[in-house]
Amino acid sequence: MISSAKNRSSVGAVSIAVVFLLTTLVLLSLQVFFLESPVGAQVLLYSLLFILLTTALVYTLAKRTELRQRADYTRLRESETRFRALVESALDWSWEVDAEGVYTYCSPQCEALLDYRPDELIGKTPFDLMPAGEALRVRSLFADIVREKREINALVNTNLHKSGCEVVLETSGTPIISESGGLIGYRGVDRDVTARMRTEMALRDSEQRLRDAQCFAKLGHWELDLRTKKSLWSDEVFRILGVSRRMTPGPDTLRKFMNPADWPAYANCITQVQENQVEHHAVYRIRREDGEERWIECRARPFATSNGEVHRLLGVIQDITERKQAEDEKERMQRELQQAHKMEALGELSGGIAHDFNNLLGIIIGYTGLAGNAARSMGADQVCDYLSHVENAGARAKKLVSQLLAFSRSDASNYQVLQPLSLIGEDVDMLRSTLPTSIQVQLDAEQDLPELLVDPVQLQQVILNLGVNARDAMHGVGRLTIRLRTTSCVGAECSACHQLVNGEWLELSVSDSGSGISAEVRERLFDPFFTTKPVGQGTGMGLALVDRIVHGHNGHILVATDEGAGVNMRLLFPPHKLVCTKPGEELDNERESFSAGRESVKAHGERVLVVDDESELTEYLGEILHLSGFEVVVSNSSRHALELFLNDPQGFDLLISDQTMPELSGVQLCERLRSVRPDLPVILCSGFSEVYAQSMQHTDFSFMSKPVDAEALIALAVRLATPMSGG
């Protein structure tokens, strides 16, 4: 190979020398031929020698030039071989395109990337290998690059493999510029980045899922370098705090939004983390830029250097506002449920006590009256005086029993649609006459108030109870303000039943200038029998009764008080236009009433069946009826009374029966007797006034509440039984 190259080199140089020699000889011959005078031999000899020397010089120069070109050519071929080997062994696909983007050269790697041979791509453009949408995008970008003669820098584009699957390439290239400055084309490489893009996409998807999970959980992560005080917050931390990402993250920024009362505990936690290398856990409140207050739970873990110095904190924060609200709501509902259970149990207990106490009270009052009559007939004035004290105590006990019955929801109510201002005005006037003049009573009421569905007697009782409580709290001196207005509530909690209070209400507030109520007392404010008054000065039923009356009207109570700042008792009633159902079934509560001073009435031997499971009460009723001229048959069992009656249905002119009895109730007994004797007069007695509601289903039943008034009972019995005897 080398010798042939040398031969070719020699032939080239010799050819040049021979051509030069022949040319010069021809020129010399022509010159000699055309000269007019002959040329001497010596001149010819010198000319030939010059030509030979010149030819030798030309040969030498031609040879040197040829050798140099050959060496350059060899180096070029070797460089081209190395470049081609490098290009063809590289993983990237090398290419050249013209200014229109048409391939003018493709390295063999295109077959490994797209399964196309180089000859298949020559004459095509990269856009022919792309999906339609991608081709439009890349063509537009390539047009901008060509127009500005810019380099192609890592342009990611999607291509179609010959099999149809997608291959993601990263294209880089440099422009080829002509000597005149025109763009000839581009030379560059394509690299397969499909796996990398899939990895990056999976990473982005994973990061997005993490962000979505953090957003859903309202959980953000943060880092704090304790040496540089530089902090890193995730996007969710900024969102939770409600601050812009332009803010510099860190403890100082956090402190601006944290509730000042929570900062000392938080700072102490950070100190404990640094000093004791313990995990940090804190709950605090923040107020966002929009003014909303949120609850935040923060956890952090310390990271220490080899010498044990804590240099970094890594942690998370979570918005737990909804959880706190749910916990508060659960706690409120538990209080509400406990209060409802407690009040229900106390109501049943109170009702049961009232029923039994009514029987005992009837015996006490009844026999006291009989004893008083006997003492007066014997002229024992001192005994009469003693018995009058017993009667007074009985009257007080009777009033307490009525409160117990009202508390147990056993009293029927007379609900009426009334204008509250005139009603409250009358009650306030009555309250002024009741309270000492050292207490100023003020009424502040709005005009054009909506009507109210209310029992006026119960409302009067509420105002009196609150007025008396305020009098005691102010020790008889101060200012009592009663306000009547419409109001709206959102998310307030009833101080009695602990339910949430929302909507529009008619508010009756009673506020005093007393000493207020402590937190301990406030928790038991509406408990029955709870009182802060000395023994003998209060029963503890006043506010419990207020609670029952207000809630019986579908209302609520809000108490605002602090020790030393008085009490504002806000009673909320639903306006009549907003009431869908009545708080309780309205009953006609008109009862038989008789004047205590009316003339005595006497029976004429009419036969009366008296039934009550309380034997002493039965004996008392039998005694007063016997003294009034009746023939009395008593029974302490409803079953026994039924047997007595069935043995002689026409032998009785009147039935007087208790309602609450074992075996058969009073109503059941009456119905059984009426099935045999439809015209039998009946008097039902009970401390529970819902018996009256039941008796209303039987228009010819009569009702008397316990403890019964002796004269009223006798008068009613005479009126009912006498027509029978006359018949």
Side-chain angles (χ1 to χ4, degrees):
M1 292 289 292
I2 297 176
S3 61
S4 61
K6 287 182 177 179
N7 291 334
R8 286 195 299 271
S9 300
S10 299
V11 170
V14 169
S15 298
I16 294 174
V18 170
V19 169
F20 178 79
L21 176 62
L22 292 175
T23 301
T24 53
L25 288 175
V26 169
L27 292 174
L28 179 62
S29 299
L30 291 174
Q31 185 177 7
V32 171
F33 179 76
F34 286 105
L35 288 176
E36 296 179 357
S37 60
V39 178
Q42 188 176 5
V43 173
L44 289 175
L45 180 61
Y46 286 145
S47 297
L48 290 174
L49 288 176
F50 177 76
I51 290 172
L52 290 175
L53 289 175
T54 306
T55 301
L57 179 61
V58 169
Y59 173 78
T60 301
L61 293 175
K63 183 66 175 178
R64 184 177 297 177
T65 300
E66 184 178 1
L67 290 176
R68 186 167 55 251
Q69 289 177 347
R70 179 63 62 182
D72 291 342
Y73 175 77
T74 301
R75 285 194 298 273
L76 179 62
R77 290 296 301 272
E78 289 176 351
S79 175
E80 181 181 353
T81 301
R82 286 195 300 270
F83 175 75
R84 186 176 296 275
L86 180 63
V87 168
E88 293 181 355
S89 63
L91 296 178
D92 296 340
W93 167 26
S94 300
W95 48 262
E96 286 186 6
V97 296
D98 60 18
E100 300 298 325
V102 178
Y103 285 116
T104 58
Y105 167 77
C106 289
S107 69
Q109 279 74 17
C110 62
E111 189 169 4
L113 293 181
L114 301 176
D115 200 24
Y116 289 101
R117 298 189 310 276
D119 59 296
E120 292 181 287
L121 297 181
I122 300 300
K124 292 186 176 181
T125 67
F127 321 118
D128 299 330
L129 307 177
M130 299 178 182
E134 182 75 345
L136 289 175
R137 182 184 72 87
V138 178
R139 189 186 296 274
S140 175
L141 293 175
F142 183 72
D144 293 339
I145 292 173
V146 169
R147 184 172 57 255
E148 299 174 8
K149 300 178 183 178
R150 290 186 286 111
E151 292 184 350
I152 304 174
N153 292 319
L155 175 62
V156 177
N157 54 94
T158 301
N159 294 258
L160 293 176
H161 191 270
K162 199 172 187 179
S163 63
C165 63
E166 291 186 349
V167 179
V168 182
L169 301 179
E170 184 182 75
T171 303
S172 298
T174 57
I176 304 173
I177 307 299
S178 65
E179 293 181 359
S180 61
L183 179 67
I184 298 174
Y186 277 86
R187 181 182 297 117
V189 294
D190 274 351
R191 177 174 298 172
D192 186 353
V193 293
T194 306
R196 190 189 79 190
M197 292 303 296
R198 288 174 180 170
T199 302
E200 291 179 357
M201 185 175 297
L203 179 60
R204 285 195 297 269
D205 291 343
S206 176
E207 291 176 347
Q208 185 60 45
R209 285 194 295 270
L210 177 61
R211 285 193 293 269
D212 293 342
Q214 288 186 343
C215 182
F216 179 76
K218 298 183 178 179
L219 182 73
H221 66 272
W222 56 270
E223 294 183 24
L224 174 62
D225 191 320
L226 296 174
R227 291 173 297 190
T228 63
K229 301 302 180 183
K230 290 184 178 180
S231 186
L232 173 66
W233 290 354
S234 70
D235 292 344
E236 189 62 18
V237 175
F238 288 95
R239 196 199 65 78
I240 289 173
L241 299 179
V243 300
S244 169
R245 288 191 59 85
R246 294 190 298 271
M247 283 200 171
T248 303
D252 293 338
T253 302
L254 178 62
R255 186 171 185 177
K256 295 177 182 177
F257 298 94
M258 188 182 295
N259 189 304
D262 297 338
W263 175 257
Y266 176 82
N268 181 61
C269 283
I270 297 296
T271 302
Q272 294 297 321
V273 171
Q274 292 181 261
E275 295 180 354
N276 302 325
Q277 297 188 21
V278 295
E279 289 192 2
H280 155 61
H281 179 212
V283 176
Y284 51 83
R285 293 159 294 175
I286 63 165
R287 185 168 296 279
R288 295 155 52 105
E289 286 186 333
D290 57 7
E292 182 183 7
E293 186 174 82
R294 309 290 292 180
W295 280 93
I296 304 299
E297 182 178 39
C298 180
R299 295 180 182 272
R301 174 175 296 178
F303 289 87
T305 59
S306 57
N307 60 4
E309 179 185 359
V310 177
H311 67 95
R312 186 166 66 100
L313 294 181
L314 180 64
V316 295
I317 69 168
Q318 186 173 20
D319 187 339
I320 60 170
T321 305
E322 284 73 19
R323 190 178 81 191
K324 288 286 293 182
Q325 291 173 346
E327 291 174 354
D328 293 343
E329 176 65 11
K330 180 180 178 181
E331 182 180 350
R332 185 198 63 77
M333 292 181 68
Q334 287 177 339
R335 291 198 307 270
E336 178 184 340
L337 183 61
Q338 291 171 356
Q339 181 72 10
H341 286 168
K342 179 176 69 175
M343 300 305 286
E344 181 181 0
L346 287 172
E348 292 178 359
L349 176 63
S350 301
I353 291 174
H355 172 263
D356 293 339
F357 193 35
N358 255 332
N359 290 336
L360 298 176
L361 195 58
I363 297 169
I364 294 171
I365 294 176
Y367 279 109
T368 299
L370 292 177
N373 292 335
R376 277 189 290 272
S377 65
M378 292 185 295
D381 294 338
Q382 188 173 6
V383 175
C384 290
D385 186 51
Y386 293 158
L387 292 175
S388 67
H389 289 290
V390 178
E391 288 180 338
N392 291 336
R396 291 173 58 193
K398 184 176 180 180
K399 181 179 179 181
L400 177 58
V401 169
S402 67
Q403 289 181 331
L404 286 172
L405 290 172
F407 171 74
S408 64
R409 298 185 185 268
S410 297
D411 273 353
S413 301
N414 182 22
Y415 290 94
Q416 303 175 31
V417 178
L418 300 171
Q419 175 53 242
L421 182 55
S422 59
L423 184 63
I424 297 297
E426 295 175 0
D427 294 338
V428 170
D429 291 339
M430 179 192 64
L431 185 62
R432 285 196 180 100
S433 62
T434 304
L435 299 179
T437 56
S438 55
I439 295 180
Q440 300 178 10
V441 180
Q442 298 177 349
L443 175 61
D444 181 9
E446 294 180 355
Q447 300 297 320
D448 300 325
L449 293 169
E451 292 182 327
L452 188 64
L453 181 63
V454 65
D455 183 337
V457 176
Q458 290 186 354
L459 186 61
Q460 183 184 80
Q461 193 172 8
V462 165
I463 293 177
L464 282 176
N465 281 342
L466 294 180
V468 170
N469 272 3
R471 177 201 64 191
D472 296 340
M474 295 184 292
H475 304 289
V477 179
R479 184 178 64 260
L480 180 66
T481 304
I482 299 175
R483 292 185 177 88
L484 191 63
R485 61 176 182 171
T486 56
T487 188
S488 60
C489 292
V490 178
E493 182 178 329
C494 178
S495 302
C497 70
H498 302 292
Q499 293 184 13
L500 291 180
V501 182
N502 295 290
E504 301 295 325
W505 302 89
L506 184 66
E507 178 184 324
L508 170 63
S509 65
V510 180
S511 57
D512 62 57
S513 57
S515 56
I517 305 174
S518 64
E520 294 79 8
V521 174
R522 200 180 312 159
E523 292 296 324
R524 304 186 58 190
L525 196 59
F526 298 98
D527 287 359
F529 309 112
F530 173 76
T531 180
T532 57
K533 298 177 182 178
V535 177
Q537 296 187 18
T539 64
M541 289 299 297
L543 289 180
L545 189 57
V546 169
D547 172 20
R548 274 302 169 90
I549 291 175
V550 172
H551 282 85
H553 287 75
N554 287 335
H556 291 284
I557 304 175
L558 304 180
V559 180
T561 178
D562 290 304
E563 286 191 82
V567 179
N568 183 19
M569 194 81 65
R570 300 172 59 196
L571 312 182
L572 304 179
F573 296 92
H576 178 54
K577 63 180 180 180
L578 299 179
V579 176
C580 298
T581 59
K582 293 183 179 181
E585 184 181 1
E586 186 176 357
L587 300 173
D588 181 6
N589 202 27
E590 184 179 355
R591 303 178 182 177
E592 298 286 345
S593 60
F594 300 88
S595 171
R598 65 179 295 168
E599 296 180 0
S600 301
V601 291
K602 289 286 186 178
H604 301 88
E606 288 80 10
R607 197 165 183 236
V608 180
L609 177 59
V610 179
V611 187
D612 198 303
D613 59 334
E614 184 65 49
S615 59
E616 293 185 4
L617 182 58
T618 310
E619 292 176 5
Y620 161 68
L621 294 176
E623 180 69 17
I624 62 173
L625 290 169
H626 175 71
L627 293 175
S628 299
F630 288 98
E631 180 184 346
V632 183
V633 178
V634 298
S635 176
N636 299 123
S637 167
S638 55
R639 289 288 183 186
H640 179 251
L642 179 60
E643 293 175 3
L644 290 175
F645 183 83
L646 293 178
N647 290 334
D648 185 13
Q650 300 299 326
F652 296 95
D653 300 308
L654 177 66
L655 170 67
I656 301 177
S657 174
D658 183 27
Q659 160 61 12
T660 307
M661 295 184 295
E663 298 178 332
L664 294 175
S665 68
V667 172
Q668 291 172 334
L669 176 62
C670 294
E671 290 174 345
R672 295 286 292 273
L673 300 188
R674 284 285 183 86
S675 66
V676 178
R677 171 97 174 274
D679 60 343
L680 178 67
V682 173
I683 299 177
L684 279 178
C685 301
S686 178
F688 294 106
S689 55
E690 67 264 20
V691 175
Y692 177 70
Q694 297 176 11
S695 67
M696 288 296 292
Q697 300 173 8
H698 309 274
T699 56
D700 50 355
F701 278 15
S702 297
F703 174 79
M704 293 201 71
S705 61
K706 287 184 174 183
V708 296
D709 182 272
E711 293 186 5
L713 176 64
I714 292 169
L716 181 59
V718 169
R719 182 166 65 85
L720 294 176
T722 299
M724 295 297 298
S725 62

